Every structure is written in C-alpha cells, then in structure tokens.
C-alpha cells in the first residue's frame, strides 16, 4: 500500500485527473476499476474520481509497488544554466524578462524554451523537486514570439496558474507593449479588425470584415482558419524622422496581432521581416545588426485581486527594453 498526502500544487483538481498524472501510463479504465473495488481510496473512503482534492487529503493506493511503479513515467528534466532575469517572485507566480531569441514554449522536443528554463531555475532554488513534477508542471501564462522581448507571467503553483489564466482570459490584466514603427503617428487610436492565421506559413492577415465560417468548420472559403475579432489600442510616445515610438495596449491577444495590425494600417514595425518594410529592415540590419521586430512587452497592470494572488492587487510592473532596442530608439529620435 502506498499513501500520498495531497500538497498545495495538487489541490483543486479532480481525483481522476490527479491519478492520471501520478500513474500516467495507466489507462483510465484501470483507475475507475480500482476506485470501484476500493483499491484506491480518498481519506479512507470509497471515491468515484470526480472529487475535488484539497490540500491534506490522503490518497491510498492498495496496489503492489511493482504495479504502481510500472504505471509511473520518469520525468525528464534538462538541467541548464537558466540565467533567468526574474522581475518578481512569490510562492505562486514568477514575472520574467524574456530575452530576444528564446522560445516561450517548445516547438519540438529538443528545444530549450522559457518553460524548461523556469523549471531548471525552480529546481536549483529548491522551490520544486523532481517528484513534484510528476503531478504538477510550472508553466507560462502568456506567450511572446521568439524575437519579442519582455514580461512573461509564469505559474509556480496550480492556484497561481489558474488565477493568472483567468485574468488573461477575461482581459482584466492590462498588457502594454513598446514598439518602433515606420511613419509618424501623431495621435493615439483604438483600431479593430479580423485576423486570419495561415497555419502552413505561420503568417496572419488582417481585414476590416469578418471572413465566413463555412458550416461551422472553423474554415473560410480558402480553407484557412475563420477570422477572429481583434482590438489594438496605441498612443505615440515620441515621433520624428519618419518613425514613431508607440505604446500599445493589447486588448485581444492573437498570434502576431500587434505586428500584423499595425502593418495593415501602413505602420509596420521596424525590423519585422515578416510584415515589415524591406528598406527600413535593411537599414536597421546594416546599422544595428537587428533582424527581428522591435517589439517589447513593457508593462503589466494588475486589477483588484483576491485569493491566492491577492498580493498583486492593483500592482504595476515595468520591464525596460533591451539595449539594442534603446540603441535604435536613441538613433532614430
């Protein structure tokens, strides 16, 4: 018999979901059979699997150790020198300054992304153990493109992940970006449109009207994904010499939204080789060695909060742009 005491990062989820993580190689039918036969119990009582776990609950597995171990999968951990620049940390979340060139999440198994860097950092600081990773994996709550720098929110605890995910979903957490664009923009504005992503090219297009969703397939007439409504608000910080430093409030959060939306109104980001101006891009590459968009997640403004993350209530966090961004800014303005 094995007895497991539910800890903070495991609480708040269904028992059957927890079992599927604890013995990830076992089929779901096995868990329900063992629950019916009382070979798996919760707090010494028969359970169905739908119960919500709370911290301190006791799960007993009346199974042979060989059976338990046979259904357990060893967690692969890549120990790396993460060099994370941590802007803020508490028991539930991390705010990280993501540098240019780092993936937010792995695209392929061999990739080292911000998630792997976070896990390595938490293992090094003893905030997490390899055993913890069997049933809970810290993760990021917002993604930035590989070559977009700035603030990324990560959940250290299940409650932190859940509360941050809700904030991003209901748009009460305000995300401000800084970018340098072609053209002089004298006034701020809120713009809207419809964005369609082409999965094959990983490129999006923005239109003024919604693309039709054919028979609920999620596709438009060309076979691409049906469009999503987007809203972007911006205000100029300074402009001169044919360029503008903008502050952008991302109201909706879709793939490449800022880059494609601003390009669609004639103000592409400097350095953006996917949506930008070829002449401008050649200039910044030649003069500054930059071949990526000058876009930086600059500020987060938290709303009034209660619960696990109440200490972040009404707080504002600022992350200054990287040196190369500032070098171009000084030169252009």
């Amino acid at each position: 018999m094995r007895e497991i005491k539910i800890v903070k990062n495991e609480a708040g989820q269904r028992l059957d979901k927890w079992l599927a993580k604890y013995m990830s190689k076992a089929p779901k039918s096995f868990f329900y059979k063992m629950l019916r036969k009382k070979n798996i119990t919760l707090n010494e009582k028969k359970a169905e699997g739908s119960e919500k776990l709370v911290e301190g609950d006791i799960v007993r597995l009346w199974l042979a150790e060989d059976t338990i171990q046979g259904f357990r999968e060893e967690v692969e951990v890549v120990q790396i020198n993460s060099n994370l620049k941590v802007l803020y940390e508490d028991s539930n979340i991390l705010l990280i300054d993501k540098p240019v060139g780092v993936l937010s999440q792995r695209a392929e198994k061999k990739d080292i992304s911000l998630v792997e860097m976070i896990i390595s950092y938490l293992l090094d600081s003893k905030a997490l153990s390899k055993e913890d990773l069997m049933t809970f994996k810290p993760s990021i709550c917002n993604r930035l493109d590989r070559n977009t720098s700035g603030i990324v929110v990560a959940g250290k605890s299940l409650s932190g992940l859940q509360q941050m995910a809700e904030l991003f979903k209901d748009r009460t957490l305000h995300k401000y970006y800084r970018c340098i664009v072609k053209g002089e923009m004298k006034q701020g504005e809120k713009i809207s449109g419809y964005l369609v992503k082409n999965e094959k090219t990983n490129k999006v297009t923005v239109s003024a009207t919604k693309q039709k969703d054919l028979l609920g397939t999620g596709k438009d007439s060309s076979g691409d994904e049906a469009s999503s409504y987007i809203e972007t608000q911006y205000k100029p910080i300074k402009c001169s010499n044919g360029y503008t430093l903008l502050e952008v409030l991302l109201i909706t959060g879709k793939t490449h939204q800022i880059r494609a939306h601003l390009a669609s109104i004639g103000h592409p980001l400097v350095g953006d080789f996917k949506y930008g101006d070829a002449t401008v891009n050649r200039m910044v590459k030649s003069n500054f060695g930059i071949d990526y968009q000058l876009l930086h997640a600059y500020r987060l403004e938290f709303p009034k909060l209660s619960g696990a993350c109440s200490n972040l209530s009404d707080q504002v966090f600022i992350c200054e742009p990287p040196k190369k961004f500032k070098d171009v800014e000084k030169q252009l303005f």
Side-chain angles (χ1 to χ4, degrees):
M1 186 272 289
R2 182 180 292 193
E3 180 177 293
I4 306 106
K5 187 175 183 179
I6 298 301
V7 297
K8 180 181 176 182
N9 281 346
E10 298 170 323
Q13 60 186 311
R14 286 167 54 117
L15 172 60
D16 53 4
K17 299 291 186 186
W18 178 86
L19 288 168
K21 295 174 184 175
Y22 193 81
M23 293 184 284
S24 58
K25 292 182 180 179
K28 287 184 179 180
S29 57
F30 172 80
F31 300 130
Y32 295 121
K33 182 180 179 181
M34 294 301 100
L35 286 164
R36 284 195 305 271
K37 296 176 69 173
K38 293 183 69 174
N39 287 343
I40 298 176
T41 62
L42 178 62
N43 298 325
E44 301 186 54
K45 296 179 182 177
K46 185 177 181 180
E48 295 181 354
S50 59
E51 295 82 0
K52 279 285 183 74
L53 296 173
V54 298
E55 188 175 358
D57 276 348
I58 302 295
V59 178
R60 286 192 174 94
L61 308 177
W62 297 89
L63 305 167
E65 275 299 310
D66 287 349
T67 300
I68 297 171
Q69 285 303 118
F71 284 138
R72 299 263 282 170
E73 190 166 8
E74 185 68 24
V75 176
E76 285 187 34
V77 177
V78 181
Q79 285 292 119
I80 55 175
N81 184 7
S82 60
N83 290 322
L84 278 187
K85 185 177 179 181
V86 177
L87 303 170
Y88 171 84
E89 182 176 4
D90 62 26
S91 60
N92 292 301
I93 76 159
L94 284 166
L95 300 182
I96 298 149
D97 180 2
K98 185 188 91 66
V100 169
V102 174
L103 286 167
S104 291
Q105 291 179 307
R106 287 198 296 195
E108 299 178 10
K109 193 172 182 180
K110 64 180 187 209
D111 292 334
I112 300 295
S113 73
L114 194 59
V115 172
E116 284 68 51
M117 293 168 71
I118 290 165
I119 290 172
S120 188
Y121 167 81
L122 293 174
L123 287 170
D124 288 344
S125 66
K126 309 300 183 186
L128 193 70
S129 69
K130 285 187 70 174
E131 182 67 20
D132 294 332
L133 291 173
M134 300 291 287
T135 53
F136 171 76
K137 186 177 180 182
S139 189
I140 59 172
C141 308
N142 63 308
R143 288 188 297 176
L144 299 179
D145 294 337
R146 181 197 285 267
N147 289 322
T148 297
S149 57
I151 304 178
V152 171
V153 181
K156 284 177 60 177
S157 70
L158 184 62
S159 54
L161 271 175
Q162 289 171 336
Q163 188 161 14
M164 289 300 110
E166 191 61 35
L167 290 181
F168 280 104
K169 184 179 178 181
D170 65 21
R171 303 176 191 168
T172 53
L173 175 58
H174 293 157
K175 301 163 287 180
Y176 292 88
Y177 291 71
R178 290 281 173 96
C179 59
I180 301 174
V181 300
K182 178 187 175 184
E184 296 187 14
M185 305 171 77
K186 305 291 186 181
Q187 293 183 327
E189 191 177 345
K190 182 163 76 172
I191 54 177
S192 60
Y194 292 88
L195 179 147
V196 177
K197 182 179 180 181
N198 185 315
E199 296 289 347
K200 292 180 181 178
T201 62
N202 192 32
K203 192 171 182 179
V204 303
T205 55
V206 175
S207 62
T209 57
K210 187 174 184 178
Q211 306 300 303
K212 290 184 178 179
D213 183 354
L214 300 179
L215 302 176
T217 62
K219 307 289 183 179
D220 64 15
S221 57
S222 66
D224 285 330
E225 295 297 314
S227 55
S228 300
Y229 179 72
I230 57 171
E231 280 187 293
T232 309
Q233 186 172 320
Y234 62 83
K235 69 174 183 179
I237 304 299
K238 51 188 172 183
C239 62
S240 64
N241 303 316
Y243 298 96
T244 304
L245 173 65
L246 282 183
E247 181 164 280
V248 179
L249 171 60
L250 191 60
I251 299 173
T252 55
K254 301 297 181 182
T255 302
H256 300 176
Q257 179 178 322
I258 293 174
R259 298 164 62 188
H261 213 177
L262 291 173
S264 75
I265 61 170
H267 296 285
L269 272 65
V270 170
D272 193 340
F273 281 74
K274 184 165 279 192
Y275 303 100
D277 179 276
T279 301
V280 171
N281 292 341
R282 282 196 295 271
M283 181 275 292
V284 292
K285 186 172 183 179
S286 174
N287 292 351
F288 301 98
I290 287 175
D291 57 359
Y292 52 86
Q293 68 276 1
L294 290 175
L295 179 62
H296 178 75
Y298 176 72
R299 187 167 84 250
L300 282 182
E301 295 183 354
F302 284 88
K304 184 76 71 178
L305 295 173
S306 58
C309 298
S310 59
N311 56 309
L312 294 171
S313 190
D314 293 325
Q315 288 210 50
V316 176
F317 295 90
I318 290 175
C319 176
E320 290 297 330
K323 182 180 183 301
K324 282 195 173 184
F325 188 111
K326 289 185 174 180
D327 287 346
V328 177
E329 181 183 334
K330 287 177 185 176
Q331 184 72 22
L332 296 181
F333 304 101

